[in-house]
Structure formats: C-alpha cells, structure tokens
Amino acid sequence: MELLWQQIINGLVLGSMYALIALGYTMVYGILNLINFAHGDVLMVGALTALSTILFLQPIFVGAPGWLLLLVGVLVAIPVCIVVSLIIERVAYRPLRNAPRLAPLITAIGVSILLQTFAMIVWGRNFLTFPTLLDDRPIEIFGATITTTRALVIGTSAVIMIALMVLVNRTKLGRAMRATAENPRVAGLMGVNPNYVIALTFAIGAGLAAVAGVMWAATYSTAHFFMGFTPGLKAFTAAVLGGIGNVPGAMVGGLLLGLIEALGAGYIGDLTNGILGSHYQDIFAFLVLVGVLIFRPSGLLGERVADRA
C-alpha cells in the first residue's frame, strides 16, 4: 500500500504539470484548430527566465525567503512567456490562418526549433541546476512521502485549473472564447473581436506554460534549452487522451497520464525487474496515445464543440 500511495502522489505531481501544459494546447486548438508544437518550448523559456531571475536576485537580497524568490521568478517568467507567445501568434500563425492545415503545423515545428536555438545561445547547452528554495523535508502521508515543492505543485495546479474553469464558463471573456471557437465570423458580427480573443487565448496558455515550467524545474532541480520537448509532447498526448479542444478533458487527460506513467514505472518496472522501469516511463505515455488514436480518436470526454475554449 505504501508503494501504491507513493506512486499515486508521484502521478498527481506529474499529471498536474501535464494538465497545465495540455490546457495551452487544447485552448489554442479549440479556437484555431491548430496544434501549437512550440508550446513546450514556451515552458522552457519560462523555466530559464525564472532561473536567471532567481540567480540574479540571490546575491542582492541575501537571506530573502526562498518562497519569495520563487514567486518573483514566476512573476517575471509569466510576462516574458506571454510576450514570446504573442509574438509567435502574430508573426508565425496569424498570416497562416487560412492556409492549408499542414502549413501552420510545419511553422509550429520551425518555431519550436527556433526557440530552442535561441535558448541555447542565451543560456548555453549545459544542464543548469535550479536551486532548492523551499524547505523540502519529506511529509509522510499514508506511509508515502511528499516534499513541500511537490505538494505546492499539486495545490497550485488545482487552484489554477479551477480558476480557468470559472473564467471559461462564468465570465464575459469565457463566453467570447466559446463563441470564437464555435464560429469566429459570427462571433465578430456579434461584437466579439476574434483577433483579440485569440491573442488572449495564447497569452493565457503561455502564462500556464510559464508556471508549469517553473514547477518542472523546481521539482526536478534542473533546466536546459531542450527541457520543453518531452513535457510538451506528453502534454499533447494528455490533451488527445482527454479530448483535444475540451478544457475539462485536458485536465482529466493530464492527471490520468501522470498516474499511468507513475503506476506503470512503479509496478510494471517491478514485474520486469526494472527493464521497463522509470527510465522507460515514456513508453507508457505513448502507448496510451496510440491506443486512444486507434480506439477513441475523440478522447475520453470527446470534443464538445460548444464547450471548446
């Protein structure tokens, strides 16, 4: 039972981060039918920006609480990621809205490579150590352990996801997003500015990616120019699992994928004497992707067009 609880906690931590990233994919897809494969690299920019901010502030404010430095790092990373995402939307995606669907996809891959190259030039190609800023003494729960950082990841992700659901379903902006997702031209006739809504959707997704990037770097204590590729690809898998274009589906898909990875690495790794253990946990994520595409292409919750954001 201790192993089960430990893997569930690990899965919730991982799934919470996947869910935040997947929300960026699904919101953009819901409005533009575009898979923004550069989204994972926006996460990377957020993590490295926060790291640079923290390393810059530590010698200046000696003795400052770690949580405060981490908060400032997140607050700096969010606007930087939003600016990067808005530039990408305006320069790379907006001119291609009426182009064949393959063109934006190729552009997204090109933007991803461009961001990785830019980050490699600015921050170098070496792995950078993200400092431990919180008291990470283990907390015991049902025989399993969780650190303060991991508990904060789960709690913060839950609050953000609830706030996003309220935004999409209960606010004027949310109605505008749903209207634009349903039919941008008709929404424009009703007084909604589709360009503004789309840009704001990219901005919200970028903010979520920035938070997820700092969470990822703080959890695994490392950041580098290529760190966004695998989480981005797995978050896309989570979005497909839940039903891409469906906001609750992205949340459910992210959490489920994290649990599948953690339980698969824990239990199947034991059964195979470590052959399919934690070093091969990516296998489980992509097996899920293949299975969903074969047996339920619309995802677990389907793609309810009226609810897309």
Side-chain angles (χ1 to χ4, degrees), residues 240-257:
V240 173
L241 173 61
I244 192 162
N246 187 301
V247 172
M251 300 177 188
V252 172
L255 293 173
L256 278 178
L257 186 65

Side-chain angles (χ1 to χ4, degrees), residues 1 28-29 44 105-106 160 171 182 201 208 264 283 301:
M1 287 302 296
V28 170
Y29 182 85
M44 171 268 297
L105 179 62
I106 296 172
I160 291 174
T171 66
E182 182 74 25
T201 301
L208 296 177
I283 293 174
L301 300 187

Side-chain angles (χ1 to χ4, degrees), residues 97-159:
R97 284 183 192 170
N98 298 318
R101 297 187 66 178
L102 190 59
L105 179 62
I106 296 172
T107 301
I109 295 172
V111 170
S112 173
I113 296 171
L114 181 64
L115 286 177
Q116 290 175 19
T117 305
F118 176 77
M120 184 171 58
I121 293 171
V122 174
W123 286 284
R125 64 176 65 220
N126 295 326
F127 282 49
L128 304 175
T129 301
F130 198 93
T132 302
L133 299 172
L134 302 177
D135 182 8
D136 264 358
R137 286 176 295 182
I139 304 168
E140 188 168 329
I141 302 176
F142 300 117
T145 58
I146 184 172
T147 62
T148 305
T149 300
R150 290 174 176 249
L152 186 63
V153 166
I154 296 174
T156 304
S157 299
V159 171

Side-chain angles (χ1 to χ4, degrees), residues 5-285:
W5 282 112
Q6 187 64 62
Q7 296 305 330
I8 288 175
I9 290 172
N10 294 342
L12 288 176
V13 173
L14 195 57
S16 297
M17 294 186 285
Y18 286 159
L20 289 183
I21 309 167
L23 284 169
Y25 279 109
T26 208
M27 290 172 69
V28 170
Y29 182 85
I31 290 182
L32 291 178
N33 287 335
L34 165 70
I35 303 298
N36 179 18
F37 277 119
H39 188 63
D41 297 291
V42 175
L43 171 151
M44 171 268 297
V45 170
L48 289 172
T49 300
L51 175 60
S52 296
T53 303
I54 291 166
L55 294 179
F56 174 76
L57 293 176
Q58 274 184 327
I60 299 174
F61 300 99
V62 179
W67 65 266
L68 183 59
L69 292 174
L70 187 62
L71 178 61
V72 173
V74 172
L75 293 178
V76 172
I78 289 174
V80 170
C81 287
I82 288 174
V83 170
V84 169
S85 191
L86 290 177
I87 292 173
I88 292 171
E89 189 275 331
R90 184 65 183 86
V91 175
Y93 297 151
R94 189 176 298 185
L96 299 175
R97 284 183 192 170
N98 298 318
R101 297 187 66 178
L102 190 59
L105 179 62
I106 296 172
T107 301
I109 295 172
V111 170
S112 173
I113 296 171
L114 181 64
L115 286 177
Q116 290 175 19
T117 305
F118 176 77
M120 184 171 58
I121 293 171
V122 174
W123 286 284
R125 64 176 65 220
N126 295 326
F127 282 49
L128 304 175
T129 301
F130 198 93
T132 302
L133 299 172
L134 302 177
D135 182 8
D136 264 358
R137 286 176 295 182
I139 304 168
E140 188 168 329
I141 302 176
F142 300 117
T145 58
I146 184 172
T147 62
T148 305
T149 300
R150 290 174 176 249
L152 186 63
V153 166
I154 296 174
T156 304
S157 299
V159 171
I160 291 174
M161 287 188 280
I162 292 170
L164 183 63
M165 287 297 297
V166 172
L167 172 69
V168 170
N169 294 309
R170 302 290 182 184
T171 66
K172 184 177 179 180
L173 173 60
R175 288 193 295 272
M177 293 168 71
R178 297 199 305 274
T180 305
E182 182 74 25
N183 193 315
R185 292 183 180 178
V186 174
L189 294 175
M190 300 301 293
V192 175
N193 185 342
N195 287 332
Y196 173 76
V197 172
I198 291 168
L200 207 52
T201 301
F202 270 87
I204 293 172
L208 296 177
V211 175
V214 178
M215 287 179 175
W216 194 278
T219 301
Y220 298 107
S221 300
T222 187
H224 54 93
F225 76 97
F226 198 64
M227 65 176 289
F229 178 77
T230 300
L233 203 54
K234 289 184 180 179
F236 170 67
T237 302
V240 173
L241 173 61
I244 192 162
N246 187 301
V247 172
M251 300 177 188
V252 172
L255 293 173
L256 278 178
L257 186 65
L259 289 170
I260 289 169
E261 276 198 25
L263 293 173
Y267 283 97
I268 298 179
D270 285 347
L271 292 175
T272 58
N273 295 320
I275 295 175
L276 294 178
S278 58
H279 295 294
Y280 295 89
Q281 66 183 25
D282 295 349
I283 293 174
F284 307 114

